[in-house]
Amino acid sequence: MSDLLIISGAPSHSAPTGVVVSLVEEQLRAAGHRVTLLDVRSLPTLSLLTEDLRDPEIAEAVSSVLSADGVVVASPVYRAAYSGLVKALLDLLPKKALRGRAVLPLATGGSQGFLVAMDYALHPLLAAKGADQVVRGEFVLDQNVSTPATAAALAAATDRFTTALTPRLLRKVS
């Protein structure tokens, strides 16, 4: 069993990204993992944007990332870029904070043209934070979030993600 963190940049639980996060959280829990959900929108905005690591909620959010075995980063895509709040949180992390952790990027957007945000915006941001085990994620069109095909694609992504966790978990046991 592993400790997983889902960072959600969804503007609400009912927004497309929120629906995707709920599906992935359910799938990971069903597989026996301990899952913590971090809704970036619930963090104190001023402390987040001013990088106030003394704020207890901000410090706890950073600590959650640093102690997780794997991290799911879910963001809506606006104008071919991830959520600014997700970036603000990731900017608070030390330079190599994601090294050795499996990372699963997920994104939602209104058009297929926003798919490029995964490769040209989100992946470089994760790499800048030391992510060396970025699992192939999923981009879901807003209109497709509740379809069986999306649920199947997300299940495949969570399977790839949990498989990538194995090396870290083996190191923890040794």
Side-chain angles (χ1 to χ4, degrees):
M1 184 180 298
S2 56
D3 294 310
L4 306 178
L5 178 68
I6 299 175
I7 298 172
S8 174
S12 72
H13 291 295
S14 61
T17 306
V19 173
V20 165
V21 164
S22 294
L23 283 168
V24 169
E25 180 180 15
E26 182 180 306
Q27 291 168 349
L28 291 170
R29 286 186 193 280
H33 300 282
R34 288 183 295 268
V35 181
T36 302
L37 177 61
L38 174 56
D39 282 315
V40 182
R41 72 176 181 280
S42 69
L43 294 173
T45 307
L46 183 60
S47 295
L48 180 63
L49 297 178
T50 60
E51 300 181 351
D52 184 2
L53 294 171
R54 294 169 299 159
D55 183 296
E57 290 181 68
I58 299 298
E60 183 179 336
V62 170
S63 177
S64 295
V65 175
L66 297 176
S67 65
D69 295 315
V71 180
V72 176
V73 178
S75 177
V77 174
Y78 304 114
R79 300 179 190 245
Y82 42 74
S83 160
L85 289 178
V86 169
K87 181 171 184 333
L89 175 65
L90 294 177
D91 282 348
L92 294 174
L93 300 176
K95 187 172 177 107
K96 299 298 178 188
L98 298 176
R99 179 175 281 158
R101 289 174 175 75
V103 179
L104 174 64
L106 302 171
T108 62
S111 81
Q112 199 65 33
F114 289 157
L115 174 62
V116 299
M118 293 284 283
D119 291 331
Y120 296 105
L122 192 52
H123 282 208
L125 175 62
L126 297 172
K129 292 302 172 179
D132 52 2
Q133 295 181 45
V134 179
V135 176
R136 184 172 51 90
E138 288 295 326
F139 175 82
V140 179
L141 285 171
D142 291 347
Q143 66 213 37
N144 295 339
V145 295
S146 298
T147 65
T150 294
L154 292 173
T158 59
D159 285 346
R160 290 189 300 271
F161 177 59
T162 57
T163 299
L165 291 167
T166 304
R168 180 176 175 87
L169 298 177
L170 290 174
R171 285 192 304 272
K172 277 177 68 172
V173 173
S174 319

